[in-house]
Amino acid sequence: MTKRGSRHQITRRGVLAGGAAVGTAILLPAQARAQAAQPNMGGTLRVAMPFNPAALDPITGRNLPDFNSLYTLYDALLDFDPDTLELKPMLAKSWEFTDPTTLVLDLVEGVEFHDGTPLNAEAVKFNLDRSMNDARSNVKSDLASVETVEVTGPFKITIKLKKPDAGLPAILSNRAGCMISPDSIKKAADGNVDRTPVGTGPFKFVEWKDNDLIKVEKNTNYWQAGLPYLDGIEFRIINELNTAARSVSSGQNDMALNMSALQIATARRSNDVVAEAKPSLVFYTTSLNYALEPLKDVRVRQAMNYALNREDLNRVLMMGLGEPTSTLFPSTFWAADPETAHFYNHDVDKAKKLLADAGYANGIDIPTWGWPDQASVQRQELFATQFAEAGIRLKVTPVPPAQAMQNFFIDKKGMAMLAPQGGLPDPSQIYERLFAGNALRNAGKIELEGFRPLMDATVSTSDPEERKQAFYALQRYVIEQALHVPQYTSAAMHIQSPKVKDFAFGLITSPKFHRVWMEA
């Protein structure tokens, strides 16, 4: 924790060993991409994606697919390798824990936001303070360990922590680390820049037509010389996945993101497109509001976990490209204990007994939110069928992702939500976001007894083996308490034209287009 430009310990074992989660679907890693031909300059990349973002302000957005476009507009304080999550310099050219509760960042000089505002230590402090204190911030739990942010030089930031937090550097490569122009926030009504994003990224915002188009253009004053290669990107929002996939085959778009296994299997029959399914830290789960009856009772939550046949879910919904799991991560990920990864076997009789012991022999009704796209509806129907066998009656209402988040996590409507989660740089971050008492994704805002000491142990040391064992203990606690109903980990799946080069969806499915280029 005292090394300059420290490489965070998640990278020590952060690669999914052998790519077991997606088998033969994995293509060559980053070193193969590095052998590509000299990039062409210019061209507009046309990208199909299924979801309208919640916001283009990184700290008020809520869903992982927001990142399809966020990193075009914003640079974060730190960067990461998409295939290994190894941390790299970005707006902070170096970082150092001078002691276990002091993190010092040295910033790159000469960087400007898209509106000409300089990126300096004052701007970074403004952003981090806003992430911690703004009423609309959804990343407060990410920075819960931060006591103060101090300007200790024109381009130097010193972050004082309440307690050690080995995960913080990785967190600063994500939403909380994305820098927004302070001037743009001060000029906006109520500081709301959800639809008027001004970052330092390789592309500048042009327009956003809801459920239709997000358009960005090249930042000709970008601080990384020679980048980006593209003149612009047009993100077309196409909710129907088959239509999005066909738009690439027909040449209407150059790429389609967030595909399902069905589209990958179909696309691989064609020589005209490239279909990739690679390792991912995204997982599918049912989030629960365990502040409400009957979900207050751990036996009910455990019954829901025993009711699922995860092997069938993976076979039918992922065509075997995912991995059935009772936890947050693939079993080969460094922070995942393989001994508890399959804790909940499919046992309908046990699920029924647990419900009866909890006083619900006649079953339970669970009002649930889901997403409306084709793949999500199929998942929801299969989940509901499996749950029904144990007397658990899901009443699923599909709405767009941003609305589902609003309804369940903010407005406290319903008891559960079916949606993907994960895709975060450090494993501590996903536990904090899902189960901390003040976390956005903890609908009931209840932090169960015993969680905090185990959570703190995962970030109190920089030793890789000690962190691993701490995560093993935390994983067992979350599983035994049945704080959610995980189903399977997903692959990162997309389809692209062969002329698109050097694109990586990566482990956390948060693409960066800085170095993407197109053959003439």
Side-chain angles (χ1 to χ4, degrees):
M1 285 173 61
T2 59
K3 291 182 179 179
R4 193 121 178 113
S6 171
R7 295 297 189 249
H8 194 271
Q9 53 273 11
I10 189 173
T11 67
R12 294 286 298 272
R13 298 181 62 180
V15 183
L16 298 177
V22 294
T24 58
I26 302 170
L27 301 185
L28 294 176
Q31 57 264 34
R33 295 196 304 271
Q35 298 172 3
Q38 183 69 25
N40 288 326
M41 303 294 291
T44 296
L45 183 70
R46 300 162 301 170
V47 180
M49 62 183 191
F51 305 114
N52 200 48
L56 291 179
D57 179 342
I59 77 162
T60 63
R62 302 168 193 148
N63 296 310
L64 179 60
D66 294 351
F67 271 105
N68 289 339
S69 54
L70 282 182
Y71 280 136
T72 64
L73 301 166
Y74 301 102
D75 291 322
L77 292 170
L78 298 181
D79 196 7
F80 55 86
D81 182 280
D83 294 314
T84 68
L85 302 187
E86 181 178 9
L87 292 181
K88 303 188 293 185
M90 183 54 99
L91 294 176
K93 61 185 178 182
S94 64
W95 64 99
E96 178 183 10
F97 277 105
T98 56
D99 62 57
T101 57
T102 305
L103 177 62
V104 178
L105 306 174
D106 287 310
L107 306 176
V108 175
E109 299 182 27
V111 179
E112 291 185 351
F113 290 97
H114 299 154
D115 60 3
T117 304
L119 184 284
N120 52 29
E122 292 286 353
V124 172
K125 174 178 169 56
F126 178 92
N127 273 270
L128 294 178
D129 285 346
R130 178 174 180 258
S131 292
M132 292 188 293
N133 301 316
D134 191 281
R136 299 179 67 243
S137 172
N138 290 327
V139 298
K140 292 177 181 178
S141 64
D142 290 355
L143 301 176
S145 65
V146 175
E147 182 71 48
T148 60
V149 179
E150 302 172 5
V151 173
T152 49
F155 296 94
K156 186 186 292 288
I157 285 288
T158 298
I159 301 175
K160 295 288 189 180
L161 305 179
K162 303 169 188 174
K163 55 190 177 184
D165 186 354
L168 184 58
I171 287 170
L172 295 179
S173 71
N174 201 248
R175 288 185 183 271
C178 289
M179 296 292 103
I180 309 170
S181 166
D183 279 5
S184 72
I185 295 167
K186 293 172 184 175
K187 293 176 181 177
D190 300 322
N192 187 331
V193 292
D194 286 0
R195 306 186 69 87
T196 54
V198 181
T200 66
F203 298 91
K204 300 169 67 173
F205 177 73
V206 176
E207 64 175 325
W208 177 8
K209 298 177 181 178
D210 271 327
N211 294 301
D212 179 15
L213 171 71
I214 295 174
K215 186 175 181 179
V216 300
E217 65 182 9
K218 181 174 184 173
N219 176 10
T220 56
N221 194 37
Y222 190 51
W223 61 277
Q224 295 196 64
L227 297 178
Y229 299 129
L230 297 169
D231 288 334
I233 306 175
E234 294 180 356
F235 295 95
R236 289 288 179 181
I237 299 162
I238 303 175
N239 297 120
E240 214 285 316
L241 298 186
N242 286 330
T243 301
R246 286 194 297 267
S247 75
V248 180
S249 300
S250 66
Q252 293 175 294
N253 286 303
D254 304 304
M255 178 182 296
L257 302 177
N258 306 116
M259 293 290 97
S260 74
L262 175 62
Q263 287 78 46
I264 296 297
T266 302
R268 283 182 171 166
R269 301 185 191 126
S270 170
N271 294 323
D272 298 327
V273 297
V274 176
E276 290 191 352
K278 298 180 67 177
S280 160
L281 295 184
V282 174
F283 63 95
Y284 283 84
T285 191
T286 305
S287 298
L288 305 174
N289 186 342
Y290 39 85
L292 302 176
E293 297 289 1
L295 299 180
K296 277 185 178 181
D297 194 315
V298 66
R299 293 170 294 185
V300 172
R301 304 195 301 269
Q302 290 171 342
M304 294 182 72
N305 274 279
Y306 280 116
L308 287 184
N309 186 329
R310 293 169 172 82
E311 296 287 345
D312 277 0
L313 294 177
N314 181 53
R315 177 178 55 81
V316 175
L317 300 175
M318 290 293 295
M319 296 184 175
L321 294 180
E323 179 186 351
T325 186
S326 297
T327 184
L328 310 177
F329 308 114
S331 59
T332 46
F333 186 60
W334 71 273
D337 182 359
E339 290 190 5
T340 53
H342 304 288
F343 185 91
Y344 289 106
N345 58 305
H346 180 223
D347 192 332
V348 173
D349 290 339
K350 191 166 187 175
K352 289 180 177 179
K353 184 178 187 307
L354 283 164
L355 287 179
D357 291 347
Y360 300 100
N362 294 324
I364 54 175
D365 295 297
I366 305 293
T368 303
W369 299 103
W371 293 2
D373 63 277
Q374 179 187 19
S376 295
V377 170
Q378 183 188 16
R379 281 194 299 271
Q380 292 154 21
E381 291 173 348
L382 187 52
F383 294 160
T385 298
Q386 290 192 0
F387 280 130
E389 292 179 4
I392 301 165
R393 296 176 290 272
L394 289 191
K395 309 293 184 181
V396 182
T397 303
V399 295
Q403 189 60 52
M405 292 282 290
Q406 178 73 34
N407 292 350
F408 182 61
F409 292 119
I410 297 175
D411 296 340
K412 315 300 182 189
K413 298 177 181 177
M415 294 183 182
M417 188 179 83
L418 294 164
Q421 302 282 358
L424 294 168
D426 189 84
S428 65
Q429 196 176 4
I430 185 62
Y431 280 108
E432 193 77 50
R433 280 198 182 181
L434 291 181
F435 309 120
N438 66 342
L440 170 67
R441 287 171 173 79
N442 183 342
K445 297 296 182 285
I446 291 177
E447 187 171 291
L448 294 189
E449 184 179 357
F451 172 79
R452 182 51 49 188
L454 293 169
M455 180 69 231
D456 288 349
T458 68
V459 294
S460 64
T461 176
S462 62
D463 180 82
E465 185 60 27
E466 291 179 6
R467 283 202 88 196
K468 183 181 76 170
Q469 294 303 320
F471 277 115
Y472 282 13
L474 180 58
Q475 173 176 307
R476 179 173 288 277
Y477 171 88
V478 168
I479 290 172
E480 290 177 345
Q481 292 296 317
L483 298 187
H484 65 142
V485 190
Q487 293 114 30
Y488 51 83
T489 62
S490 175
M493 294 179 280
H494 82 282
I495 300 168
Q496 68 178 55
S497 164
K499 70 180 180 179
V500 179
K501 302 299 180 182
D502 289 350
F503 174 80
F505 218 4
L507 280 175
I508 62 174
T509 64
S510 298
K512 297 195 174 188
F513 293 90
H514 298 60
R515 299 180 181 276
V516 173
W517 58 282
M518 301 172 68
E519 285 185 339

